[in-house]
Amino acid sequence: MSELNSNIPSGELTEKWKKYLSSGPLVNPANKRSLEVIVVGSGLAGASAAATLAEMGYKVKCFCFQDSPRRAHSIAAQGGINAAKNYQNDGDSTYRLFYDTIKGGDYRAREANVYRLAEVSANIIDQCVAQGVPLAREYGGLLDNRSFGGTQVQRTFYAAGQTGQQLLLGAYSALERQIGMGKVEMFTRHEMLDVVMVEGKARGIIARDLISGKLERHFGHAVLLCTGGYGNVFYLSTNAMGSNVTAAWKANKKGAFFGNPCYTQIHPTCIPVSGDHQSKLTLMSESLRNDGRIWVPKKKDDTRRPVDIPEDERDYYLERRYPAFGNLVPRDVASRAAKERCDAGYGVGASKKAVYLDFTFNTERYGKVEANKQNIHNPDHATIMRLGREVIKEKYGNLFDMYKQITGEDPYETPMRIYPAVHYTMGGLWVDYNLMTTIPGLYALGEANFSDHGANRLGASALMQGLADGYFVIPFTLGSYLSKEIATKPLPLDHPAFVEAEKKVQDTIDKFFSIKGTKSVDYFHKRLGLIMWDKCGMARNATGLKEAIEEIRALREEFWKDVRVPGEANEFNPELEKAGRVADFLELGELMCIDALNREESCGGHFREEHQTEDGEALRDDENFAYVAAWENLGDGSFKLHKEHLNFENIKVAQRSYK
């Protein structure tokens, strides 16, 4: 077991990034034009990185499996993006954002990376405003902020309930400008299926044209993976159905260590599962917890309509258990609290696997404020509620409309029903301070890396990290590596490394078609998802994890004997795409359980039932587990653990409390 070198610059925490920027190696503008960079993924991290690197002069190739970069899953983020601007004058600062992020991640993130993220956060907002992103504004024209979980300041910038979409359109516009100028070559409907390695360095990729089925070889002096998270290992999640782990997993099999795979975020504010027919779940933004109060009836199995349950018979359990943060506790805390109430018999709805998210109280509050503004004296209750709903509609209207379309219930009239679901993955490829993996020349950005969120991501921080990595970090750190690659000429595509990598990909495709089994890919994916949710989901224990490992191994064996992939290889074939992705999930799922079993503590989204306080909170073991678990794939189905010990020199590590 080796200690990993994270290449963190020396010096004071507040000076590390500034020092790096002023003293790191640079690439001459003329030399940039002969250096080729491959960017896989076109979400916030990928689009911003590709656009920025092209603007700097590099030759960029960008790949996405969607028909357009603007369909990347970043579009689905609803609630907002964090930045330490202190526009509300409520005491925010770079240090406070850094502290909240470290604490929110339950002291399992690297200080230097998180501080850099907090530093550049303010630049992101300026960048997006300059691009014309329509962030919400107050009456006077200044940018507005709202609250998110795990913080006591308002630092979240937003655009109604479609922040991700608007930010992605900003990055997409920048990317399309570079495509139009010929500086970025865009490959849509292409999926990366392997990393090409030459003399230990990443030198390109094998990609499949998803329309023709043809395999292609692409050279790059460096390869950037901006391919998102792996939440779809659970089958049911808030991720787009195409979201997968394949690019990152192929990198892991080529030598890039996988960091903290067991850290999965369960989001507390999802529309509950309605039946076996579902293929994905829908998220209701965490921003709704600004104005929605979460409760369950005080009586078990209460079948009354929520509007018929009087105030004194409601249990606002988050406000009761966590008075300092109330409904705005971090996601892992809110999710476990909802599960506890439902498991104890207080759940609502037909499934009893739901709690109420109720806007009545704040609708009334907003209505009274609006009545005063409009000089309406002694308004009746109906007028107050009508005025309040207009405010709510302006802030969250599209989310309310989405809820009504999916459930058939009007959330303006009756409380929403919500329940936790798989959302984000804090684990990912291990990277150093430069965002480079353990393979030289191979980088991971955004949700594809493990770097900034520890064991639990605070809401509105994913968009922040994706854009920080793409706009403000990789453009500088990549130069440190490429400054030594100027003499490297592009490799010919008939180089043995490309030939061998393509043959390996083709052999796997041929194998899928040769099995001619009886079960669909989805059949195996659903079974894997159920094992993962039951035994490596919101709560884990040693017995369940050991069972899950054996069950996944047996399921994987069955998959390779009995999966049926219809159609042909050299055509548009979504079932073949899914088969490759599920094959990777069947291997990753096992590693997630191995990592969860190895981590004998509870922290953030990783909740081991054997390690909890008397009142059911996560119980960390800092003496033995204050490290990043980075797993090396040995290629024979086994993994070797490497550790990066986490040193906290600027924050006092404490038991996390939101009470």
Side-chain angles (χ1 to χ4, degrees), residues 13 17 81-84 93-95 97-102 109-125 155 424 433 435 446 449 451-454 457-458 460-470 472-473:
L13 182 71
W17 183 235
I81 177 169
N82 289 330
S93 65
T94 298
Y95 183 86
L97 174 52
F98 157 69
Y99 174 81
D100 286 345
T101 305
I102 292 278
R110 188 192 290 153
E111 275 193 344
N113 286 59
V114 177
Y115 193 85
R116 176 177 64 189
L117 176 67
E119 266 186 289
V120 304
S121 66
N123 300 352
I124 297 169
I125 303 304
R155 66 161 67 99
Y424 187 91
Y433 189 76
L435 305 185
N449 72 31
S451 128
D452 293 1
H453 307 296
R457 175 177 68 79
L458 291 183
S461 286
L463 304 184
M464 174 174 65
Q465 188 209 345
L467 291 179
D469 286 357
F472 298 109
V473 179

Side-chain angles (χ1 to χ4, degrees), residues 359-463:
F359 291 83
T360 310
F361 179 85
N362 282 306
T363 300
E364 189 171 341
R365 180 172 67 84
Y366 284 131
K368 288 175 180 174
V369 172
E370 282 301 302
N372 281 334
K373 280 188 193 173
Q374 297 179 25
N375 214 17
I376 302 172
H377 299 290
N378 302 317
D380 59 22
H381 186 260
T383 302
I384 289 171
M385 296 307 283
R386 176 179 58 77
L387 293 170
R389 279 179 194 137
E390 287 171 9
V391 177
I392 294 284
K393 187 169 188 177
E394 190 176 331
K395 294 178 91 170
Y396 313 110
N398 61 312
L399 299 171
F400 276 57
D401 293 344
M402 191 161 66
Y403 182 88
K404 187 176 182 180
Q405 285 176 353
I406 291 169
T407 65
E409 298 173 4
D410 184 351
Y412 291 106
E413 301 292 337
T414 187
M416 290 182 180
R417 284 176 295 110
I418 55 166
Y419 193 70
V422 171
H423 180 53
Y424 187 91
T425 47
M426 284 74 64
L429 292 177
W430 183 91
V431 293
D432 65 8
Y433 189 76
N434 299 309
L435 305 185
M436 194 193 290
T437 67
T438 46
I439 296 175
L442 182 70
Y443 293 78
L445 283 65
E447 194 179 354
N449 72 31
F450 87 99
S451 128
D452 293 1
H453 307 296
N456 172 65
R457 175 177 68 79
L458 291 183
S461 286
L463 304 184

